[in-house]
Amino acid sequence: YHAAEAAQPVYEGIIRRIYNQVCQECQGDGKSKITFAQFKGQEKAQQKADDDYDTRTPGPGVSWLYDIVRGCIEFTSADQILRFLELAKKDESIHIVKAKNRFANPTLTGYRDLNL
């Protein structure tokens, strides 16, 4: 969590910069929003590490957690989502480790999102 505390302001600054650029370029309806969550709880993070990553090498399992520092962006158009993704991929300070595209495969209830 010491590394997460140092990373959070950097993460928020980079994501905010790209978000603002997308909002300017795509001229949305003003309903897009960005929020940053508190750190994932240590107990929940440890449980996820134990359940999902305990056998990965190199260890320990907690070193495989990617979502201690996190945020959420809600865009109102596909163009905004695509532009954000394009800018994030081009940004040298961002390394996308994992992506889950639930636009391609929505949940049974129809929920769609893109997790990076």
Side-chain angles (χ1 to χ4, degrees):
Y1 278 77
H2 294 294
E5 289 172 3
Q8 186 172 21
V10 175
Y11 165 79
E12 289 183 11
I14 293 167
I15 298 304
R16 221 179 271 285
R17 176 179 45 80
I18 296 173
Y19 169 82
N20 289 336
Q21 184 175 345
V22 169
C23 289
Q24 276 186 321
E25 290 179 12
C26 295
Q27 299 176 356
D29 58 10
K31 294 182 181 177
S32 295
K33 65 181 181 177
I34 185 171
T35 55
F36 295 102
Q38 294 180 351
F39 294 154
K40 178 176 277 194
Q42 288 184 341
E43 186 176 311
K44 186 175 180 181
Q46 186 64 57
Q47 185 67 46
K48 182 175 182 177
D50 292 344
D51 292 346
D52 297 350
Y53 308 125
D54 198 40
T55 59
R56 285 195 184 180
T57 55
V62 293
S63 65
W64 290 91
L65 293 173
Y66 302 120
D67 60 348
I68 301 296
V69 176
R70 55 208 173 128
C72 177
I73 300 172
E74 295 179 41
F75 285 122
T76 57
S77 75
D79 288 340
Q80 291 172 317
I81 296 168
L82 292 172
R83 182 63 178 144
F84 184 91
L85 186 56
E86 182 180 285
L87 291 170
K89 284 180 173 180
K90 287 181 182 178
D91 193 303
E92 292 182 8
S93 65
I94 296 176
H95 176 72
I96 298 173
V97 176
K98 183 178 174 183
K100 186 186 298 183
N101 182 352
R102 282 192 288 233
F103 284 97
N105 299 301
T107 66
L108 293 174
T109 62
Y111 181 78
R112 299 172 298 179
D113 67 358
L114 178 65
N115 292 320
L116 304 175

